[in-house]
Amino acid sequence: MSGEHLEKRGLHATLDDAQVAGKRVLLRADLNVPVHEGKVSDLTRLERLAPGIRELSDKGAKVIVLSHFDRPKGKRVEALSLRPIARALSAVLGREVAFAEDCIGPVAEAAVAKLHDGDVLVLENTRFHAGEEENNPDFSAALAKLGDIYVNDAFSAAHRAHASTEGVARHLPSFAGRLMQAELHALEQALGNPVRPVCAIVAGSKVSTKLDLLNNLVTKVDILVIGGAMANTFLAAQGYDVGISLQEPNLHETARTILKAAAAKGCEILLPLDVVVAETFAPDTPSKVVKITEIPHNAMALDVGPETVAAFIRRLPEIRTIIWNGPLGAFETKPFDTATNMLAEAIAQATKEGKIISVGGGGDTVSALKLSGAHDHLTYLSSAGGAFLEWMEGKILPGVEALSKGFSNMG
Ligand code: ADP
Ligand code: MG
């Protein structure tokens, strides 16, 4: 394997670099899927995982799937077993999936020993052992013993330095799985090395949860659009009366510092020009559009207004790359999803026409974009939640870093 080859992919060996036939492949997946009354209620994550598993299996690997599920806190909790999820995975794959009631030790070893080339096995919840979250070296070694190579396909868990995401990569030749590869590629395109001008849209409820993210973005993007309740804090910091809107008075100084940092870096900040206000926060409550200079004392801003959205959309033709985190309004309650939907539609259209690269992510952002119907038309929509946000903050994700170190194990 040539160094140059790896460098092109941002230093992560991928499945293209791996010889997997006849090998025991320890595949870290994210099987932490939503479950309702013992049934997987959203198959999206499993469906996205399936092609990578099929590829390994078709190439003759013995696929051994590792994952955490929920928070059993280092103890065996029957209700948090991965068994029903292994069954759902089997249905999605359309192939048999074996299950082992432990992820290390004799039970796991016996299950692995029974595998034929192409077989798929899911091991029990890694978090049933305290060593997982402690990143205990003995536990990592016990996991590593089960495989010949390690493939991490769980970007969404890569912000945790746990045994199955980080420790195990110290023992085995390590590769990025197909989902990890796609995610890293999209993130690199959006922020690592974007086609400029690049615009970030940051919105949502609080400045306080996104301080690191805002501080990182002002150094990286050309245009920063701020919406959501977060924009209320910025408006109030600039002296506007935001009535009873959700905002953070103790962060006004911080907001002003961010605005100054942006100006110093040549990052243009776009704040709302108008907002949709209501006196109460309820579905279909009477609401009206006002300019930001005219927010009534007894009203709250629950969405950005049409003039603001139109102003954002007018800037789209000059933008080449967009990265989006945070709904522009309280989208869960109609009609305060309007601005988010309108902007999502415009971005989806520009993406379809090949004019921009668009990447979105964040728990509520994914829900909002799904509701808007635009999610399928973005270049990439990350379902990684916390890992996506930490990556937007400019942090090095231990699970990703471990992969770039991991190929030194290939000797
Ligand atoms: P993500 O999970 O995508 O990172 P956040 O959690 O930061 O996004 O923000 C989403 C939340 O912000 C949503 O629950 C939404 O209702 C809320 N929100 C956005 N704008 C407003 C607003 N003007 N007033 C109150 N809540 C808002
Ligand atoms: Mg959220």
Side-chain angles (χ1 to χ4, degrees):
M1 166 159 355
S2 77
E4 192 193 352
H5 191 49
L6 291 173
E7 219 147 308
K8 270 194 294 192
R9 301 206 180 91
L11 286 174
H12 307 106
T14 72
L15 292 187
D16 296 325
D17 306 303
Q19 299 294 327
V20 302
K23 299 253 178 76
R24 298 170 304 157
V25 175
L26 218 42
L27 178 76
R28 178 48 159 104
D30 186 353
L31 300 182
N32 192 33
V33 295
V35 171
H36 186 66
E37 290 174 355
K39 281 204 125 175
V40 178
S41 57
D42 182 354
L43 292 172
T44 315
R45 223 171 224 178
L46 301 184
E47 284 162 355
R48 292 181 81 176
L49 194 62
I53 295 181
R54 274 194 212 104
E55 178 182 345
L56 285 167
S57 159
D58 291 346
K59 285 179 173 170
K62 302 176 171 86
V63 189
I64 304 153
V65 183
L66 281 178
S67 177
H68 75 284
F69 181 67
D70 213 318
R71 297 172 189 271
K73 306 236 167 88
K75 293 191 311 273
R76 193 172 185 94
V77 178
E78 271 334 304
L80 302 181
S81 170
L82 277 174
R83 188 186 281 280
I85 294 148
R87 221 175 287 132
L89 179 64
S90 167
V92 168
L93 282 171
R95 299 183 184 190
E96 226 170 279
V97 170
F99 182 75
E101 281 177 13
D102 202 348
C103 64
I104 54 164
V107 171
E109 284 160 23
V112 169
K114 271 200 229 148
L115 295 176
H116 299 286
D117 293 355
D119 283 355
V120 182
L121 166 71
V122 171
L123 302 179
E124 185 57 286
N125 196 344
T126 52
R127 288 191 186 168
F128 281 3
H129 293 269
E132 163 71 337
E133 293 186 70
E134 289 164 3
N135 201 1
N136 178 300
D138 294 336
F139 181 69
S140 297
L143 289 175
K145 203 175 154 193
L146 302 172
D148 302 307
I149 69 171
Y150 170 67
V151 174
N152 189 346
D153 217 7
F155 177 84
S156 46
H159 56 316
R160 313 266 188 235
H162 291 171
S164 69
T165 60
E166 201 273 345
V168 68
R170 298 168 190 240
H171 297 274
L172 295 172
S174 303
F175 301 86
R178 293 302 184 203
L179 289 180
M180 173 72 88
Q181 185 185 352
E183 185 95 24
L184 293 175
H185 175 72
L187 300 187
E188 183 63 15
Q189 260 193 322
L191 206 56
N193 189 17
V195 182
R196 289 181 184 272
V198 52
C199 168
I201 302 164
V202 180
S205 50
K206 288 181 172 174
V207 174
S208 53
T209 59
K210 296 195 176 165
L211 270 179
D212 291 342
L213 191 146
L214 289 165
N215 281 319
N216 183 42
L217 290 177
V218 295
T219 69
K220 299 220 167 115
V221 304
D222 304 298
I223 301 174
L224 177 60
V225 170
I226 299 179
M230 183 184 290
N232 300 334
T233 302
F234 278 87
L235 292 174
Q238 290 183 308
Y240 295 98
D241 181 354
V242 297
I244 55 168
S245 299
L246 177 61
Q247 63 128 340
E248 292 165 290
N250 59 334
L251 285 178
H252 289 179
E253 193 52 49
T254 307
R256 285 190 290 265
T257 307
I258 291 170
L259 294 176
K260 272 188 221 140
K265 287 281 179 188
C267 166
E268 184 187 359
I269 297 218
L270 300 181
L271 282 164
L273 306 168
D274 60 345
V275 288
V276 183
V277 296
E279 288 177 19
T280 54
F281 183 27
D284 299 309
T285 189
S287 62
K288 63 177 179 182
V289 175
V290 297
K291 292 202 181 306
I292 54 169
T293 47
E294 288 161 12
I295 301 174
H297 297 305
N298 63 343
M300 57 189 114
L302 290 166
D303 197 9
V304 306
E307 193 188 327
T308 304
V309 178
F312 294 165
I313 291 174
R314 269 201 304 278
R315 300 296 297 273
L316 278 184
E318 72 188 76
I319 292 164
R320 290 288 159 270
T321 305
I322 288 199
I323 177 151
W324 186 352
N325 169 254
L328 295 180
F331 74 99
E332 301 93 335
T333 310
K334 280 181 190 301
F336 309 111
D337 56 344
T338 310
T340 302
N341 292 343
M342 284 174 65
L343 188 59
E345 198 177 304
I347 290 174
Q349 189 58 34
T351 308
K352 266 191 266 182
E353 290 168 7
K355 293 177 177 157
I356 58 166
I357 289 164
S358 55
V359 174
D364 292 296
T365 310
V366 170
S367 312
L369 291 174
K370 277 190 179 158
L371 288 172
S372 80
H375 61 292
D376 279 341
H377 304 294
L378 300 191
T379 310
Y380 191 79
L381 185 61
S382 171
S383 56
F388 177 82
L389 291 176
E390 287 199 22
W391 176 84
M392 272 186 95
E393 291 168 0
K395 296 201 176 126
I396 292 167
L397 308 186
V400 175
E401 211 197 5
L403 290 182
S404 27
K405 288 186 187 144
F407 60 71
S408 59
N409 293 324
M410 286 181 270

